[in-house]
Protein backbone atom coordinates (compact mmCIF):
# COMPACT_ATOMS: atom_id res chain seq x y z
CA UNK A 1 0.00 0.00 0.00
CA UNK A 2 1.54 3.34 -1.05
CA UNK A 3 1.72 6.46 1.13
CA UNK A 4 -1.30 8.12 -0.50
CA UNK A 5 -3.54 5.16 0.33
CA UNK A 6 -2.29 5.23 3.92
CA UNK A 7 -3.08 8.93 4.04
CA UNK A 8 -6.66 8.29 2.87
CA UNK A 9 -7.06 5.54 5.47
CA UNK A 10 -5.68 7.57 8.40
CA UNK A 11 -7.66 10.72 7.55
CA UNK A 12 -10.81 8.65 6.94
CA UNK A 13 -10.44 6.89 10.30
CA UNK A 14 -10.17 10.23 12.12
CA UNK A 15 -13.28 11.52 10.33
CA UNK A 16 -15.23 8.41 11.31
CA UNK A 17 -13.94 8.70 14.89
CA UNK A 18 -15.17 12.30 15.17
CA UNK A 19 -18.61 11.45 13.80
CA UNK A 20 -18.99 8.41 16.09
CA UNK A 21 -18.02 10.49 19.14
CA UNK A 22 -20.52 13.18 18.15
CA UNK A 23 -23.25 10.58 17.70
CA UNK A 24 -22.57 8.97 21.09
CA UNK A 25 -22.45 12.41 22.74
CA UNK A 26 -25.73 13.63 21.29
CA UNK A 27 -27.01 16.58 23.31
CA UNK A 28 -30.16 15.78 25.29
CA UNK A 29 -30.96 19.29 26.51
CA UNK A 30 -30.43 22.95 25.65
CA UNK A 31 -27.75 23.26 28.34
CA UNK A 32 -25.88 20.24 26.94
CA UNK A 33 -26.09 21.69 23.43
CA UNK A 34 -24.66 25.09 24.37
CA UNK A 35 -22.32 24.40 27.34
CA UNK A 36 -22.08 20.57 27.49
CA UNK A 37 -24.28 20.54 30.57
CA UNK A 38 -21.59 22.33 32.60
CA UNK A 39 -20.18 19.02 33.80
CA UNK A 40 -16.90 18.56 31.90
CA UNK A 41 -13.88 17.55 34.01
CA UNK A 42 -11.20 20.29 34.20
CA UNK A 43 -8.50 18.10 32.62
CA UNK A 44 -10.80 17.06 29.78
CA UNK A 45 -11.85 20.67 29.34
CA UNK A 46 -8.18 21.65 29.27
CA UNK A 47 -7.57 19.24 26.39
CA UNK A 48 -10.64 20.50 24.52
CA UNK A 49 -9.58 24.12 25.06
CA UNK A 50 -6.08 23.32 23.82
CA UNK A 51 -7.54 21.75 20.67
CA UNK A 52 -9.70 24.85 20.22
CA UNK A 53 -6.65 27.07 20.58
CA UNK A 54 -4.30 24.98 18.45
CA UNK A 55 -6.13 25.41 15.21
CA UNK A 56 -4.70 25.30 11.71
CA UNK A 57 -3.03 28.64 12.46
CA UNK A 58 -0.98 26.96 15.18
CA UNK A 59 -0.05 23.49 13.96
CA UNK A 60 0.37 24.48 10.29
CA UNK A 61 0.96 28.20 9.90
CA UNK A 62 3.05 28.98 12.98
CA UNK A 63 5.80 26.49 12.23
CA UNK A 64 5.79 27.68 8.61
CA UNK A 65 5.99 31.35 9.61
CA UNK A 66 8.89 30.73 12.00
CA UNK A 67 10.64 28.65 9.34
CA UNK A 68 10.15 31.41 6.78
CA UNK A 69 10.79 34.47 8.96
CA UNK A 70 13.28 33.20 11.53
CA UNK A 71 13.49 35.49 14.56
CA UNK A 72 10.65 37.62 13.21
CA UNK A 73 8.29 34.66 13.31
CA UNK A 74 8.59 34.48 17.09
CA UNK A 75 6.05 37.31 17.37
CA UNK A 76 3.29 34.84 16.46
CA UNK A 77 4.45 32.32 19.04
CA UNK A 78 4.64 35.00 21.72
CA UNK A 79 1.41 36.70 20.68
CA UNK A 80 -0.79 33.60 20.62
CA UNK A 81 0.71 32.22 23.82
CA UNK A 82 0.42 35.55 25.59
CA UNK A 83 -3.15 35.89 24.36
CA UNK A 84 -4.12 32.64 26.02
CA UNK A 85 -2.46 33.63 29.29
CA UNK A 86 -4.31 36.96 29.15
CA UNK A 87 -7.60 35.17 28.52
CA UNK A 88 -7.06 32.54 31.20
CA UNK A 89 -5.96 34.91 33.97
CA UNK A 90 -7.84 38.15 33.35
CA UNK A 91 -11.02 37.39 31.43
CA UNK A 92 -12.50 33.90 31.33
CA UNK A 93 -12.88 33.18 35.10
CA UNK A 94 -14.53 36.56 35.67
CA UNK A 95 -16.96 36.05 32.81
CA UNK A 96 -17.90 32.71 34.33
CA UNK A 97 -18.29 34.25 37.77
CA UNK A 98 -20.46 37.03 36.35
CA UNK A 99 -22.80 34.43 34.87
CA UNK A 100 -22.86 35.55 31.24
CA UNK A 101 -22.09 33.25 28.34
CA UNK A 102 -20.73 35.82 25.86
CA UNK A 103 -18.56 38.93 25.95
CA UNK A 104 -21.35 41.16 24.49
CA UNK A 105 -23.70 40.02 27.29
CA UNK A 106 -21.02 40.71 29.87
CA UNK A 107 -20.22 44.16 28.44
CA UNK A 108 -23.90 45.09 28.23
CA UNK A 109 -24.67 44.06 31.82
CA UNK A 110 -21.43 45.35 33.31
CA UNK A 111 -21.81 48.85 31.86
CA UNK A 112 -25.62 48.95 31.78
CA UNK A 113 -25.56 49.89 28.10
CA UNK A 114 -27.26 48.35 25.09
CA UNK A 115 -25.00 50.41 22.82
CA UNK A 116 -21.89 48.95 24.45
CA UNK A 117 -23.36 45.48 24.00
CA UNK A 118 -24.03 46.20 20.31
CA UNK A 119 -20.45 47.39 19.75
CA UNK A 120 -19.10 44.27 21.49
CA UNK A 121 -21.41 42.09 19.37
CA UNK A 122 -20.18 43.67 16.12
CA UNK A 123 -16.58 43.18 17.23
CA UNK A 124 -17.27 39.53 18.09
CA UNK A 125 -18.83 38.94 14.67
CA UNK A 126 -15.86 40.48 12.87
CA UNK A 127 -13.40 38.46 14.98
CA UNK A 128 -15.33 35.24 14.38
CA UNK A 129 -15.66 35.81 10.64
CA UNK A 130 -11.98 36.65 10.22
CA UNK A 131 -10.97 33.64 12.30
CA UNK A 132 -13.22 31.23 10.38
CA UNK A 133 -11.80 32.46 7.05
CA UNK A 134 -8.29 31.70 8.28
CA UNK A 135 -9.35 28.28 9.53
CA UNK A 136 -10.98 27.37 6.22
CA UNK A 137 -7.87 28.47 4.36
CA UNK A 138 -5.82 26.11 6.52
CA UNK A 139 -8.32 23.29 6.03
CA UNK A 140 -8.29 23.77 2.26
CA UNK A 141 -4.49 23.77 2.05
CA UNK A 142 -4.12 20.70 4.30
CA UNK A 143 -6.74 18.61 2.55
CA UNK A 144 -5.58 19.70 -0.90
CA UNK A 145 -2.14 18.36 -0.03
CA UNK A 146 -2.99 15.19 1.86
CA UNK A 147 -6.15 14.07 0.05
CA UNK A 148 -4.89 15.12 -3.39
CA UNK A 149 -7.98 17.25 -4.09
CA UNK A 150 -8.53 20.86 -5.10
CA UNK A 151 -8.41 23.63 -2.50
CA UNK A 152 -12.15 24.26 -2.88
CA UNK A 153 -12.95 20.58 -2.36
CA UNK A 154 -10.75 20.52 0.74
CA UNK A 155 -12.68 23.44 2.24
CA UNK A 156 -16.03 21.74 1.54
CA UNK A 157 -14.85 18.47 3.12
CA UNK A 158 -13.74 20.28 6.26
CA UNK A 159 -16.98 22.25 6.53
CA UNK A 160 -19.01 19.07 6.07
CA UNK A 161 -17.24 17.14 8.83
CA UNK A 162 -17.49 20.03 11.31
CA UNK A 163 -21.16 20.58 10.45
CA UNK A 164 -22.01 16.93 11.12
CA UNK A 165 -20.45 16.64 14.56
CA UNK A 166 -21.50 20.17 15.63
CA UNK A 167 -25.16 19.59 14.77
CA UNK A 168 -25.26 16.07 16.22
CA UNK A 169 -23.75 16.74 19.62
CA UNK A 170 -23.68 20.50 20.15
CA UNK A 171 -21.09 21.64 22.69
CA UNK A 172 -21.19 18.24 24.39
CA UNK A 173 -20.26 16.46 21.18
CA UNK A 174 -17.75 19.15 20.20
CA UNK A 175 -16.03 18.88 23.59
CA UNK A 176 -15.56 15.13 23.33
CA UNK A 177 -14.56 15.41 19.69
CA UNK A 178 -11.96 18.04 20.51
CA UNK A 179 -10.46 15.86 23.22
CA UNK A 180 -9.90 13.23 20.52
CA UNK A 181 -8.75 15.97 18.16
CA UNK A 182 -6.10 17.13 20.62
CA UNK A 183 -4.73 13.60 20.85
CA UNK A 184 -4.60 13.37 17.05
CA UNK A 185 -2.96 16.80 16.69
CA UNK A 186 -0.30 16.30 19.34
CA UNK A 187 0.53 12.80 18.06
CA UNK A 188 0.69 13.91 14.43
CA UNK A 189 2.83 16.94 15.27
CA UNK A 190 5.26 15.57 17.84
CA UNK A 191 5.98 12.06 16.52
CA UNK A 192 7.52 13.28 13.23
CA UNK A 193 9.40 15.95 15.23
CA UNK A 194 10.89 13.24 17.45
CA UNK A 195 12.15 11.19 14.51
CA UNK A 196 13.46 14.24 12.63
CA UNK A 197 15.29 15.33 15.79
CA UNK A 198 16.78 11.85 16.10
CA UNK A 199 17.84 11.89 12.46
CA UNK A 200 19.43 15.34 12.57
CA UNK A 201 20.84 15.59 16.10
CA UNK A 202 20.55 12.14 17.67
CA UNK A 203 18.31 13.55 20.41
CA UNK A 204 14.77 12.14 20.69
CA UNK A 205 13.46 15.27 22.45
CA UNK A 206 12.83 17.92 19.77
CA UNK A 207 13.14 20.84 22.20
CA UNK A 208 16.64 19.65 23.14
CA UNK A 209 17.55 18.70 19.59
CA UNK A 210 16.71 22.28 18.63
CA UNK A 211 19.84 23.39 20.47
CA UNK A 212 21.86 20.24 19.76
CA UNK A 213 24.63 19.35 17.35
CA UNK A 214 24.37 17.69 13.95
CA UNK A 215 26.40 14.70 12.82
CA UNK A 216 29.33 16.92 11.75
CA UNK A 217 29.61 18.45 15.24
CA UNK A 218 28.07 21.80 14.29
CA UNK A 219 25.20 23.21 16.30
CA UNK A 220 21.97 22.96 14.31
CA UNK A 221 21.20 26.68 14.40
CA UNK A 222 24.77 27.56 13.44
CA UNK A 223 24.52 25.20 10.47
CA UNK A 224 21.23 26.75 9.38
CA UNK A 225 22.71 30.23 9.71
CA UNK A 226 25.59 29.23 7.44
CA UNK A 227 23.29 27.59 4.89
CA UNK A 228 21.19 30.78 4.76
CA UNK A 229 24.29 32.95 4.30
CA UNK A 230 25.59 30.63 1.55
CA UNK A 231 22.31 31.17 -0.32
CA UNK A 232 22.71 34.94 -0.07
CA UNK A 233 20.31 35.60 2.79
CA UNK A 234 20.78 36.92 6.32
CA UNK A 235 21.50 34.53 9.15
CA UNK A 236 18.37 32.67 10.21
CA UNK A 237 18.69 33.80 13.84
CA UNK A 238 19.59 37.40 13.03
CA UNK A 239 17.73 39.88 15.23
CA UNK A 240 16.27 42.76 13.23
CA UNK A 241 16.47 45.51 15.83
CA UNK A 242 14.90 47.98 13.43
CA UNK A 243 11.62 46.06 13.64
CA UNK A 244 11.47 45.82 17.44
CA UNK A 245 8.62 48.33 17.69
CA UNK A 246 6.68 46.54 14.94
CA UNK A 247 7.17 43.21 16.68
CA UNK A 248 5.95 44.67 19.96
CA UNK A 249 2.71 45.98 18.47
CA UNK A 250 2.06 42.88 16.35
CA UNK A 251 2.57 40.70 19.43
CA UNK A 252 0.23 42.95 21.45
CA UNK A 253 -2.41 42.85 18.70
CA UNK A 254 -2.23 39.06 18.58
CA UNK A 255 -2.51 38.86 22.37
CA UNK A 256 -5.55 41.10 22.69
CA UNK A 257 -7.16 39.69 19.56
CA UNK A 258 -6.89 36.03 20.49
CA UNK A 259 -7.88 36.73 24.11
CA UNK A 260 -11.31 37.68 22.83
CA UNK A 261 -12.02 34.62 20.69
CA UNK A 262 -15.67 33.69 21.46
CA UNK A 263 -15.33 29.96 20.82
CA UNK A 264 -12.51 29.73 23.39
CA UNK A 265 -14.21 31.89 26.02
CA UNK A 266 -17.30 29.66 26.03
CA UNK A 267 -15.08 26.72 27.00
CA UNK A 268 -14.89 28.03 30.56
CA UNK A 269 -18.66 27.60 30.95
CA UNK A 270 -18.52 23.85 30.33
CA UNK A 271 -17.01 23.04 33.77
CA UNK A 272 -19.03 22.87 37.01
CA UNK A 273 -17.46 25.75 38.99
CA UNK A 274 -15.37 28.93 38.65
CA UNK A 275 -12.53 27.09 40.44
CA UNK A 276 -12.69 24.36 37.79
CA UNK A 277 -12.46 27.03 35.07
CA UNK A 278 -9.16 28.23 36.55
CA UNK A 279 -7.85 24.65 36.87
CA UNK A 280 -8.81 23.79 33.29
CA UNK A 281 -7.03 26.97 32.13
CA UNK A 282 -3.82 25.71 33.75
CA UNK A 283 -4.16 22.27 32.16
CA UNK A 284 -4.88 23.85 28.78
CA UNK A 285 -1.71 25.95 29.05
CA UNK A 286 0.31 22.78 29.68
CA UNK A 287 -1.28 20.97 26.73
CA UNK A 288 -0.73 23.99 24.47
CA UNK A 289 2.90 24.25 25.57
CA UNK A 290 3.58 20.72 24.30
CA UNK A 291 2.89 21.88 20.76
CA UNK A 292 4.04 25.49 21.03
CA UNK A 293 7.51 24.46 22.23
CA UNK A 294 7.72 21.92 19.42
CA UNK A 295 6.71 24.30 16.60
CA UNK A 296 10.03 26.25 16.51
CA UNK A 297 11.97 22.99 16.41
CA UNK A 298 9.88 21.74 13.49
CA UNK A 299 10.48 25.07 11.75
CA UNK A 300 14.26 24.77 12.06
CA UNK A 301 14.32 21.08 11.12
CA UNK A 302 12.10 21.70 8.09
CA UNK A 303 14.10 24.66 6.79
CA UNK A 304 17.42 22.86 7.20
CA UNK A 305 16.07 19.76 5.49
CA UNK A 306 14.51 21.84 2.70
CA UNK A 307 17.79 23.57 1.86
CA UNK A 308 19.87 20.38 2.10
CA UNK A 309 17.40 18.41 0.00
CA UNK A 310 16.63 20.87 -2.81
CA UNK A 311 19.37 23.47 -3.18
CA UNK A 312 21.30 23.09 -6.45
CA UNK A 313 19.37 19.94 -7.30
CA UNK A 314 18.06 19.23 -10.77
CA UNK A 315 14.33 19.67 -11.06
CA UNK A 316 13.82 16.23 -12.61
CA UNK A 317 15.34 14.68 -9.47
CA UNK A 318 13.24 16.45 -6.84
CA UNK A 319 11.28 14.28 -4.36
CA UNK A 320 7.60 13.60 -5.00
CA UNK A 321 6.54 15.73 -2.03
CA UNK A 322 7.90 18.83 -3.77
CA UNK A 323 5.71 18.15 -6.81
CA UNK A 324 2.70 17.60 -4.54
CA UNK A 325 3.25 20.94 -2.86
CA UNK A 326 3.67 22.62 -6.25
CA UNK A 327 0.14 21.52 -7.07
CA UNK A 328 -1.19 23.50 -4.09
CA UNK A 329 0.31 26.71 -5.46
CA UNK A 330 2.40 27.35 -2.33
CA UNK A 331 5.75 26.41 -3.87
CA UNK A 332 7.18 27.04 -7.30
CA UNK A 333 10.35 26.08 -9.16
CA UNK A 334 12.53 29.06 -10.15
CA UNK A 335 15.27 28.16 -12.61
CA UNK A 336 16.98 31.54 -12.44
CA UNK A 337 20.18 30.38 -14.11
CA UNK A 338 18.42 28.26 -16.77
CA UNK A 339 20.48 25.23 -15.80
CA UNK A 340 17.67 22.95 -14.63
CA UNK A 341 18.65 23.33 -10.97
CA UNK A 342 16.69 24.79 -8.10
CA UNK A 343 18.16 28.02 -6.79
CA UNK A 344 15.13 29.24 -4.90
CA UNK A 345 11.73 28.16 -3.72
CA UNK A 346 9.22 30.88 -4.37
CA UNK A 347 5.77 31.74 -3.11
CA UNK A 348 3.84 31.11 -6.29
CA UNK A 349 1.15 33.68 -5.44
CA UNK A 350 3.33 36.53 -4.14
CA UNK A 351 6.46 35.73 -6.18
CA UNK A 352 8.59 36.08 -3.07
CA UNK A 353 11.74 34.05 -2.46
CA UNK A 354 11.56 31.90 0.65
CA UNK A 355 14.91 30.12 0.68
Amino acid sequence: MDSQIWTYVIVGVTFVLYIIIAGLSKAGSTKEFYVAGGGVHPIANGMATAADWMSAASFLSMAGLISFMGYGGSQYLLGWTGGYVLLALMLAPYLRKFGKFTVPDFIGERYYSKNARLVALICALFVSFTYVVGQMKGVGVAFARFLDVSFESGVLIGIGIVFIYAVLGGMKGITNTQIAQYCVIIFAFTVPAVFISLQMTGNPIPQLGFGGKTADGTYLLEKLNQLSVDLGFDEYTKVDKGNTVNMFFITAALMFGTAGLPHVIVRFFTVPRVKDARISAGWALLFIALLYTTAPTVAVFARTNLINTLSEREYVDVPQWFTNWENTGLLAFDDKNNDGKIQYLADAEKNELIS
Side-chain angles (χ1 to χ4, degrees), residues 59-79:
F59 66 85
L60 290 180
S61 302
M62 186 168 62
L65 285 167
I66 297 173
S67 179
F68 171 48
M69 299 174 66
Y71 171 80
S74 62
Q75 60 197 7
Y76 297 96
L77 180 64
L78 295 172

mmCIF file of all heavy atoms in Angstrom, residues 59-79:
data_model
loop_
_atom_site.group_PDB
_atom_site.id
_atom_site.type_symbol
_atom_site.label_atom_id
_atom_site.label_comp_id
_atom_site.label_asym_id
_atom_site.label_seq_id
_atom_site.Cartn_x
_atom_site.Cartn_y
_atom_site.Cartn_z
ATOM 1 N N PHE A 59 -0.842 24.680 14.296
ATOM 2 C CA PHE A 59 -0.051 23.489 13.960
ATOM 3 C C PHE A 59 0.376 23.457 12.496
ATOM 4 O O PHE A 59 1.192 22.627 12.117
ATOM 5 C CB PHE A 59 -0.777 22.199 14.348
ATOM 6 C CG PHE A 59 -2.040 21.906 13.574
ATOM 7 C CD1 PHE A 59 -1.992 21.263 12.360
ATOM 8 C CD2 PHE A 59 -3.276 22.257 14.092
ATOM 9 C CE1 PHE A 59 -3.148 20.977 11.659
ATOM 10 C CE2 PHE A 59 -4.436 21.958 13.405
ATOM 11 C CZ PHE A 59 -4.380 21.331 12.178
ATOM 12 N N LEU A 60 -0.122 24.374 11.666
ATOM 13 C CA LEU A 60 0.373 24.482 10.294
ATOM 14 C C LEU A 60 1.123 25.795 10.090
ATOM 15 O O LEU A 60 2.300 25.827 9.780
ATOM 16 C CB LEU A 60 -0.787 24.401 9.296
ATOM 17 C CG LEU A 60 -1.480 23.055 9.127
ATOM 18 C CD1 LEU A 60 -2.598 23.184 8.091
ATOM 19 C CD2 LEU A 60 -0.499 21.989 8.691
ATOM 20 N N SER A 61 0.417 26.902 10.289
ATOM 21 C CA SER A 61 0.961 28.198 9.904
ATOM 22 C C SER A 61 2.111 28.658 10.786
ATOM 23 O O SER A 61 3.073 29.245 10.293
ATOM 24 C CB SER A 61 -0.147 29.251 9.911
ATOM 25 O OG SER A 61 -1.184 28.892 9.036
ATOM 26 N N MET A 62 2.037 28.427 12.101
ATOM 27 C CA MET A 62 3.048 28.979 12.983
ATOM 28 C C MET A 62 4.428 28.405 12.696
ATOM 29 O O MET A 62 5.412 29.141 12.594
ATOM 30 C CB MET A 62 2.675 28.745 14.443
ATOM 31 C CG MET A 62 3.632 29.434 15.403
ATOM 32 S SD MET A 62 3.006 29.456 17.088
ATOM 33 C CE MET A 62 2.913 27.708 17.430
ATOM 34 N N ALA A 63 4.515 27.096 12.553
ATOM 35 C CA ALA A 63 5.803 26.486 12.228
ATOM 36 C C ALA A 63 6.311 27.001 10.885
ATOM 37 O O ALA A 63 7.506 27.270 10.717
ATOM 38 C CB ALA A 63 5.684 24.970 12.202
ATOM 39 N N GLY A 64 5.397 27.161 9.919
ATOM 40 C CA GLY A 64 5.789 27.680 8.613
ATOM 41 C C GLY A 64 6.275 29.115 8.687
ATOM 42 O O GLY A 64 7.269 29.489 8.038
ATOM 43 N N LEU A 65 5.595 29.948 9.471
ATOM 44 C CA LEU A 65 5.990 31.348 9.612
ATOM 45 C C LEU A 65 7.364 31.465 10.275
ATOM 46 O O LEU A 65 8.201 32.266 9.847
ATOM 47 C CB LEU A 65 4.944 32.109 10.430
ATOM 48 C CG LEU A 65 3.638 32.446 9.706
ATOM 49 C CD1 LEU A 65 2.587 32.911 10.705
ATOM 50 C CD2 LEU A 65 3.861 33.509 8.647
ATOM 51 N N ILE A 66 7.586 30.676 11.321
ATOM 52 C CA ILE A 66 8.887 30.725 12.000
ATOM 53 C C ILE A 66 9.983 30.213 11.072
ATOM 54 O O ILE A 66 11.091 30.755 11.031
ATOM 55 C CB ILE A 66 8.842 29.916 13.308
ATOM 56 C CG1 ILE A 66 7.838 30.543 14.280
ATOM 57 C CG2 ILE A 66 10.227 29.844 13.953
ATOM 58 C CD1 ILE A 66 7.594 29.726 15.536
ATOM 59 N N SER A 67 9.668 29.170 10.297
ATOM 60 C CA SER A 67 10.643 28.647 9.340
ATOM 61 C C SER A 67 10.984 29.689 8.283
ATOM 62 O O SER A 67 12.134 29.849 7.881
ATOM 63 C CB SER A 67 10.081 27.385 8.679
ATOM 64 O OG SER A 67 10.992 26.867 7.734
ATOM 65 N N PHE A 68 9.973 30.415 7.843
ATOM 66 C CA PHE A 68 10.145 31.413 6.784
ATOM 67 C C PHE A 68 10.807 32.688 7.297
ATOM 68 O O PHE A 68 11.723 33.230 6.679
ATOM 69 C CB PHE A 68 8.767 31.729 6.185
ATOM 70 C CG PHE A 68 8.757 32.896 5.234
ATOM 71 C CD1 PHE A 68 9.695 33.008 4.226
ATOM 72 C CD2 PHE A 68 7.781 33.871 5.338
ATOM 73 C CE1 PHE A 68 9.667 34.072 3.337
ATOM 74 C CE2 PHE A 68 7.747 34.948 4.462
ATOM 75 C CZ PHE A 68 8.696 35.048 3.462
ATOM 76 N N MET A 69 10.382 33.161 8.474
ATOM 77 C CA MET A 69 10.791 34.474 8.960
ATOM 78 C C MET A 69 11.944 34.430 9.955
ATOM 79 O O MET A 69 12.563 35.467 10.221
ATOM 80 C CB MET A 69 9.591 35.169 9.619
ATOM 81 C CG MET A 69 8.419 35.401 8.689
ATOM 82 S SD MET A 69 6.962 36.061 9.549
ATOM 83 C CE MET A 69 7.580 37.662 10.043
ATOM 84 N N GLY A 70 12.234 33.261 10.535
ATOM 85 C CA GLY A 70 13.285 33.196 11.532
ATOM 86 C C GLY A 70 12.878 33.909 12.809
ATOM 87 O O GLY A 70 11.770 33.721 13.320
ATOM 88 N N TYR A 71 13.758 34.767 13.306
ATOM 89 C CA TYR A 71 13.489 35.486 14.557
ATOM 90 C C TYR A 71 12.169 36.254 14.489
ATOM 91 O O TYR A 71 11.406 36.292 15.459
ATOM 92 C CB TYR A 71 14.641 36.447 14.841
ATOM 93 C CG TYR A 71 14.385 37.403 15.981
ATOM 94 C CD1 TYR A 71 14.535 36.987 17.299
ATOM 95 C CD2 TYR A 71 14.004 38.715 15.737
ATOM 96 C CE1 TYR A 71 14.300 37.863 18.355
ATOM 97 C CE2 TYR A 71 13.764 39.597 16.779
ATOM 98 C CZ TYR A 71 13.923 39.172 18.083
ATOM 99 O OH TYR A 71 13.682 40.036 19.112
ATOM 100 N N GLY A 72 11.873 36.848 13.354
ATOM 101 C CA GLY A 72 10.648 37.624 13.215
ATOM 102 C C GLY A 72 9.397 36.805 13.418
ATOM 103 O O GLY A 72 8.358 37.335 13.831
ATOM 104 N N GLY A 73 9.456 35.514 13.145
ATOM 105 C CA GLY A 73 8.287 34.660 13.310
ATOM 106 C C GLY A 73 7.939 34.401 14.760
ATOM 107 O O GLY A 73 6.831 33.938 15.056
ATOM 108 N N SER A 74 8.854 34.720 15.669
ATOM 109 C CA SER A 74 8.586 34.477 17.092
ATOM 110 C C SER A 74 7.454 35.344 17.617
ATOM 111 O O SER A 74 6.862 35.036 18.653
ATOM 112 C CB SER A 74 9.847 34.727 17.918
ATOM 113 O OG SER A 74 10.266 36.083 17.817
ATOM 114 N N GLN A 75 7.140 36.438 16.908
ATOM 115 C CA GLN A 75 6.050 37.308 17.368
ATOM 116 C C GLN A 75 4.713 36.574 17.384
ATOM 117 O O GLN A 75 3.850 36.848 18.228
ATOM 118 C CB GLN A 75 5.949 38.541 16.472
ATOM 119 C CG GLN A 75 5.661 38.244 15.020
ATOM 120 C CD GLN A 75 5.980 39.421 14.114
ATOM 121 O OE1 GLN A 75 6.531 40.418 14.542
ATOM 122 N NE2 GLN A 75 5.618 39.303 12.842
ATOM 123 N N TYR A 76 4.544 35.611 16.489
ATOM 124 C CA TYR A 76 3.295 34.844 16.463
ATOM 125 C C TYR A 76 3.249 33.849 17.625
ATOM 126 O O TYR A 76 2.200 33.647 18.251
ATOM 127 C CB TYR A 76 3.155 34.118 15.126
ATOM 128 C CG TYR A 76 3.067 35.078 13.966
ATOM 129 C CD1 TYR A 76 4.197 35.411 13.230
ATOM 130 C CD2 TYR A 76 1.857 35.675 13.636
ATOM 131 C CE1 TYR A 76 4.124 36.315 12.188
ATOM 132 C CE2 TYR A 76 1.775 36.578 12.586
ATOM 133 C CZ TYR A 76 2.910 36.893 11.869
ATOM 134 O OH TYR A 76 2.839 37.803 10.843
ATOM 135 N N LEU A 77 4.378 33.236 17.903
ATOM 136 C CA LEU A 77 4.453 32.323 19.035
ATOM 137 C C LEU A 77 4.181 33.062 20.343
ATOM 138 O O LEU A 77 3.396 32.622 21.181
ATOM 139 C CB LEU A 77 5.837 31.667 19.073
ATOM 140 C CG LEU A 77 6.121 30.667 20.196
ATOM 141 C CD1 LEU A 77 5.207 29.468 20.068
ATOM 142 C CD2 LEU A 77 7.576 30.237 20.170
ATOM 143 N N LEU A 78 4.807 34.217 20.501
ATOM 144 C CA LEU A 78 4.639 35.001 21.720
ATOM 145 C C LEU A 78 3.229 35.587 21.808
ATOM 146 O O LEU A 78 2.620 35.614 22.879
ATOM 147 C CB LEU A 78 5.673 36.136 21.758
ATOM 148 C CG LEU A 78 7.140 35.712 21.846
ATOM 149 C CD1 LEU A 78 8.049 36.926 21.687
ATOM 150 C CD2 LEU A 78 7.424 35.031 23.172
ATOM 151 N N GLY A 79 2.719 36.061 20.680
ATOM 152 C CA GLY A 79 1.410 36.698 20.683
ATOM 153 C C GLY A 79 0.289 35.740 21.018
ATOM 154 O O GLY A 79 -0.569 36.026 21.872
#
